Amino acid sequence: MTDSQNTTPATLGKFNLLNIVAMLDKGAYLDGGDLGEILLPKRDLPEACQVGEKIKVFLYLDSAERLIATTTTPLAQVGEFVSLKVVQVNKIGAFLDWGLPKDLLVPFTQQHSEMEVGKYYLVRVFLDQLTNRIAASSKIDKFLDIWPAEYQQGDKVNLIIGGKTDLGYKAIVNDLHWGLLYDNEIFQHLRVGKKIPGYIKQVREDGRLDLLLTRGSKNKVNDFSEKLLAHIADRGGITPLNDKSAPELIQRTLGVSKKTFKATVGNLLKNGKIAIVKEGIKLV
């Protein structure tokens, strides 16, 4: 590792690879560069660590607003969208469970609607530049790009499922834009905050995005072939599913429509990859 890599500044709210500079009874001190030495408590310290070793840690502020390191993985880092549960609401705001000892604050000014204990909300984790504290916001729009999206039909994208609408589900596309999945083209269970691959169905004239969860038209069969072959192989080379199977069973088992299933089976038969037998479909 080069010297420039060794001096990369530590970042609050992110994972960092830091040098151990001292070992004490209460834990280890890590070199945080401009942030100074940072304590990694003994409870989080892996066995057999030594001074001079590098260790991957997440940096946050504890309940006393002290910078502290942990090897525990939070449910999200700064800059990420995530669905989290509200565990407390007080005069400051709502507090979310994000997997660390100190809960994540959503100030009232950062709440799209008033949050309630026990409910889950899609939020963006961010670093408040005024207070230098990690916080979250459910005002998602302000973190997305206001400029029209530049995508092509069929582009593969990463989606984060947002709220339900009259037409389907909103989804965040590549952490930058809103898109829409239509109810009649959804063949699996979705929940707010779920991260899932998807595809651009079309870019409308106003720049808005229509989305699909499976690649459309001619590419759909090729996309699903490997999954079907793997499904059959995992079951000893034969599956009881066939063209008489109920659409609901196919959707529940494989996550695709019966139309896609039948088209894929036909394509694999044509290419000699499978055979239809009394028991179902068999690998050749």
Side-chain angles (χ1 to χ4, degrees):
M1 197 174 275
T2 65
D3 290 340
S4 60
Q5 288 174 312
N6 286 331
T7 58
T8 299
T11 305
L12 182 62
K14 299 267 191 178
F15 277 102
N16 300 262
L17 194 61
L18 302 181
N19 276 316
I20 299 175
V21 294
M23 300 287 291
L24 303 173
D25 290 341
K26 61 181 179 179
Y29 276 101
L30 311 177
D31 181 6
D34 292 342
L35 297 179
E37 293 186 354
I38 304 167
L39 176 65
L40 174 63
K42 185 176 181 179
R43 65 176 181 271
D44 288 335
L45 190 63
E47 293 183 8
C49 284
Q50 297 179 359
V51 171
E53 288 185 14
K54 286 186 177 293
I55 188 168
K56 183 180 179 182
V57 293
F58 181 81
L59 301 183
Y60 72 108
L61 301 177
D62 67 11
S63 56
E65 301 298 327
R66 295 171 299 196
L67 183 61
I68 196 164
T70 180
T71 52
T72 299
T73 300
L75 297 178
Q77 299 185 67
V78 164
E80 295 181 345
F81 295 98
V82 65
S83 179
L84 298 175
K85 183 180 180 181
V86 177
V87 293
Q88 181 186 1
V89 175
N90 62 22
K91 62 182 180 180
I92 300 174
F95 290 84
L96 311 177
D97 177 8
W98 65 324
L100 294 181
K102 182 185 178 185
D103 296 326
L104 184 63
L105 172 66
V106 185
F108 287 114
T109 57
Q110 294 293 337
Q111 295 180 25
H112 181 266
S113 58
E114 188 173 338
M115 292 183 165
E116 300 177 35
V117 172
K119 292 188 175 181
Y120 284 81
Y121 296 87
L122 182 64
V123 297
R124 167 82 167 220
V125 183
F126 71 98
L127 187 62
D128 189 322
Q129 298 300 322
L130 294 177
T131 63
N132 199 38
R133 295 174 181 170
I134 304 169
S137 174
S138 61
K139 294 183 175 181
I140 302 300
D141 288 351
K142 72 178 187 176
F143 296 99
L144 301 181
D145 200 332
I146 62 173
W147 301 105
E150 294 185 3
Y151 297 101
Q152 300 296 320
Q153 183 178 357
D155 283 353
K156 188 173 183 179
V157 292
N158 296 314
L159 304 179
I160 302 173
I161 303 302
K164 186 77 173 67
T165 74
D166 292 337
L167 297 175
Y169 279 90
K170 295 167 63 179
I172 300 171
V173 182
N174 288 348
D175 291 333
L176 290 174
H177 300 96
W178 280 120
L180 182 63
L181 292 159
Y182 291 90
D183 274 332
N184 64 348
E185 296 173 326
I186 297 173
F187 302 103
Q188 61 180 279
H189 173 69
L190 297 179
R191 60 172 176 78
V192 173
K194 184 174 184 177
K195 297 181 179 181
I196 189 170
Y199 300 89
I200 302 297
K201 179 182 179 183
Q202 69 170 341
V203 181
R204 292 187 244 162
E205 290 184 2
D206 60 5
R208 295 184 181 183
L209 302 173
D210 291 339
L211 307 170
L212 292 169
L213 293 179
T214 55
R215 193 187 296 275
S217 63
K218 63 181 180 181
N219 293 312
K220 186 183 292 184
V221 169
N222 293 333
D223 240 25
F224 177 61
S225 293
E226 289 187 10
K227 182 175 180 180
L228 179 56
L229 291 173
H231 165 80
I232 300 171
D234 289 345
R235 283 152 185 79
I238 190 168
T239 177
L241 294 175
N242 55 56
D243 63 351
K244 299 293 193 300
S245 298
E248 295 79 13
L249 177 60
I250 292 171
Q251 173 59 50
R252 187 168 61 250
T253 305
L254 298 171
V256 298
S257 67
K258 185 169 182 177
K259 180 179 178 181
T260 298
F261 172 77
K262 291 179 69 174
T264 304
V265 168
N267 185 60
L268 291 173
L269 279 169
K270 180 180 177 181
N271 289 290
K273 298 290 185 67
I274 60 173
I276 303 297
V277 296
K278 183 179 178 180
E279 295 82 5
I281 299 173
K282 181 179 180 180
L283 289 179
V284 173

